[in-house]
């Protein structure tokens, strides 16, 4: 029997600004109990929420210059928010920011300081923070957005929580996403838990990040900028996370290529890592709805990852090393039940 055609949709909204159009993700079913929230740039929620809140508080004013460090998608989101609200924008950009991103920032009116080429993302991040401090010390009129530390970046994600709750009306949900600054996963999960949804939060980390204790490792090919950190981030609330997956570049590439091959979704490496983790998580929690967060598209990874698609292993052949202690952490892929504990762990009284 031929299914009936879908009902005619209502008229599409006419947006006042592009940020309204791109802030909502495309929701794509990956399996019976798995959905991908794929964004063009996830951090539009963070930037819009933060800028609106700071304007409402009187912390910033129209015409003022906002400055921050970024490896890419926050830079574009902040430049768009500044464009919308009549603010100036200055970005201290990672070496990983490509020409396409930089041109967009400049046309939007942002000024850009880009760090010199470096294979050491830790050095890159330290240079960026040092440069921001120099700028703020010399220009008191600048407002440092501090996306890594100012909890104002949580504010915008409540709108994302509204969307998730409307699209996935369930009382039990697994959310899988890159930890990064902590704001996107934390900002989504906190309001959902406050509304009574039982959320299992699974974080993705690269090897070499201090955020959850893998700094003793290095991943020479790692270009998954933004999902880990070489410095502690104040916006990461470790007690929110139920489980952690540490995934190296090659496995993240396998996930991203697999996502494109299996679902025709072109998304970034952190999405690939989350997709890989979701396959393992859903196999162990049958029937529980899983939401995979895909923060950006795959364009900036085309040459360094997708062009190497023939090298990518089949995700079905990959499995993690299960650990109970950080001392047992092992590349290329490890997983642990974090159990919503602090890090560094609070001393026993």
């Amino acid at each position: 029997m031929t299914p009936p055609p879908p009902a005619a949709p209502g008229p599409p909204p006419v947006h006042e600004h592009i940020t309204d159009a791109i802030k909502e993700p495309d929701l794509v079913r990956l399996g019976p109990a798995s959905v991908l929230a794929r964004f063009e740039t996830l951090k539009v929620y963070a930037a819009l929420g933060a800028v609106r809140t700071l304007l409402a508080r009187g912390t910033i004013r129209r015409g003022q210059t906002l400055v921050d460090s970024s490896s890419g998608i926050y830079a574009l989101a902040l430049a768009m928010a500044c464009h919308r609200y009549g603010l100036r924008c200055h970005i201290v950009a990672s070496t990983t920011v490509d020409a396409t991103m930089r041109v967009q920032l400049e046309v939007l009116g942002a000024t850009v300081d880009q760090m010199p080429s470096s294979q050491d993302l830790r050095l890159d991040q330290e240079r960026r923070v040092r440069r921001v401090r120099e700028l703020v010390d010399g220009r008191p009129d600048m407002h440092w957005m501090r996306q890594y530390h100012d909890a104002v970046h949580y504010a915008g994600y409540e709108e994302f929580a509204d969307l998730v709750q409307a699209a996935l009306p369930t009382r039990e949900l697994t959310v899988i996403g890159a930890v990064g600054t902590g704001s996107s996963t934390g900002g989504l999960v906190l309001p959902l838990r406050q509304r009574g949804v039982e959320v299992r939060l699974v974080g993705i980390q690269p090897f070499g990040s201090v955020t959850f204790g893998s700094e003793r490792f290095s991943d020479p090919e790692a270009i998954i900028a933004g999902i880990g950190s070489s410095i502690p981030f104040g916006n990461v609330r470790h007690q929110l996370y139920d489980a952690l997956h540490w995934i190296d570049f090659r496995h993240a590439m396998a996930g991203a290529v697999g996502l494109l091959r299996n679902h025709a979704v072109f998304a970034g490496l952190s999405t690939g890592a989350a997709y890989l983790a979701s396959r393992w998580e859903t196999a162990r929690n049958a029937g529980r709805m899983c939401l995979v967060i895909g923060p950006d598209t795959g364009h900036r990874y085309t040459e360094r990852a997708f062009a190497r698609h023939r090298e990518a292993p089949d995700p079905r052949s990959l499995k993690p090393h299960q650990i109970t202690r950080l001392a047992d952490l092992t590349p290329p892929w490890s997983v642990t039940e974090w159990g919503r504990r602090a890090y560094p762990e609070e001393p026993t009284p």
Side-chain angles (χ1 to χ4, degrees):
M1 181 177 176
T2 304
V14 176
H15 300 290
E16 295 300 319
H17 193 269
I18 187 64
T19 47
D20 288 330
I22 68 171
K23 67 183 178 184
E24 291 189 2
D26 298 312
L27 298 177
V28 181
R29 189 167 295 283
L30 303 177
S34 183
V35 170
L36 169 68
R38 192 269 209 172
F39 290 85
E40 182 174 337
T41 171
L42 164 69
K43 291 191 176 181
V44 167
Y45 276 123
L48 284 179
V51 168
R52 287 170 177 162
T53 302
L54 293 171
L55 283 168
R57 291 176 182 170
T59 305
I60 60 175
R61 63 187 185 282
R62 291 180 187 271
Q64 192 170 357
T65 299
L66 307 187
V67 61
D68 213 343
S69 161
S70 174
S71 60
I73 60 174
Y74 180 78
L76 184 58
L78 183 60
M80 287 180 170
C82 288
H83 181 276
R84 178 169 188 168
Y85 290 107
L87 294 147
R88 299 179 186 278
C89 181
H90 186 91
I91 299 296
V92 178
S94 167
T95 187
T96 61
V97 170
D98 62 16
T100 302
M101 177 70 73
R102 179 161 183 154
V103 166
Q104 288 181 79
L105 294 172
E106 291 174 349
V107 174
L108 281 166
T111 51
V112 181
D113 273 341
Q114 187 159 13
M115 295 299 99
S117 179
S118 172
Q119 295 301 311
D120 185 344
L121 293 184
R122 179 172 302 184
L123 176 62
D124 174 73
Q125 198 163 47
E126 290 170 353
R127 282 173 171 168
R128 283 188 277 141
V129 172
R130 186 163 60 247
R131 177 58 180 153
V132 172
R133 291 188 184 278
E134 289 172 358
L135 287 166
V136 173
D137 288 345
R139 291 271 308 275
D141 59 309
M142 280 187 166
H143 178 81
W144 184 3
M145 290 297 291
R146 302 177 76 245
Q147 64 150 328
Y148 305 135
H149 303 288
D150 193 337
V152 72
H153 289 90
Y154 274 63
Y157 289 107
E158 187 156 1
E159 192 175 344
F160 181 26
D162 294 340
L163 183 153
V164 168
Q165 201 163 21
L168 305 174
T170 177
R171 305 312 298 174
E172 294 185 344
L173 180 68
T174 296
V175 171
I176 303 178
V179 176
T181 67
S183 299
S184 59
T185 46
L188 169 63
V189 165
L190 276 173
L192 289 176
R193 287 178 179 167
Q194 288 164 0
R195 299 170 193 178
V197 182
E198 198 282 292
V199 182
R200 172 176 166 82
L201 179 56
V202 179
I204 304 296
Q205 281 277 275
F207 288 94
S209 172
V210 306
T211 307
F212 281 93
S214 69
E215 63 269 22
R216 69 184 185 276
F217 297 95
S218 64
D219 184 357
E221 293 189 288
I223 54 172
I224 321 174
I227 77 170
S229 176
S230 65
I231 58 175
F233 285 170
N235 271 341
V236 176
R237 303 179 187 180
H238 298 81
Q239 296 95 326
L240 294 177
Y241 296 86
D242 296 281
L244 266 297
H245 289 250
W246 292 264
I247 297 177
D248 77 352
F249 166 82
R250 189 166 179 268
H251 280 56
M253 179 175 70
V257 171
L259 183 61
L260 180 56
R261 181 173 288 133
N262 297 332
H263 300 282
V265 175
F266 186 49
L269 283 177
S270 60
T271 308
Y275 170 62
L276 186 65
S278 76
R279 294 173 58 88
W280 191 85
E281 291 283 340
T282 54
R284 282 150 186 78
N285 295 279
R288 185 185 177 99
M289 182 57 67
C290 177
L291 177 70
V292 180
I293 300 177
D296 62 353
T297 66
H299 294 87
R300 65 176 172 153
Y301 303 105
T302 300
E303 292 184 8
R304 291 181 287 176
F306 287 97
R308 298 168 55 184
H309 62 90
R310 292 179 181 84
E311 301 174 30
D314 186 336
R316 293 173 298 181
S317 70
L318 306 176
K319 62 180 182 179
H321 175 59
Q322 298 180 60
I323 64 172
T324 56
R325 305 179 308 151
L326 284 177
D328 298 326
L329 193 61
T330 305
W333 179 11
S334 289
V335 61
T336 191
E337 286 297 310
W338 186 255
R340 303 189 188 184
R341 66 182 190 267
Y343 183 79
E345 291 185 284
E346 295 168 351
T348 303

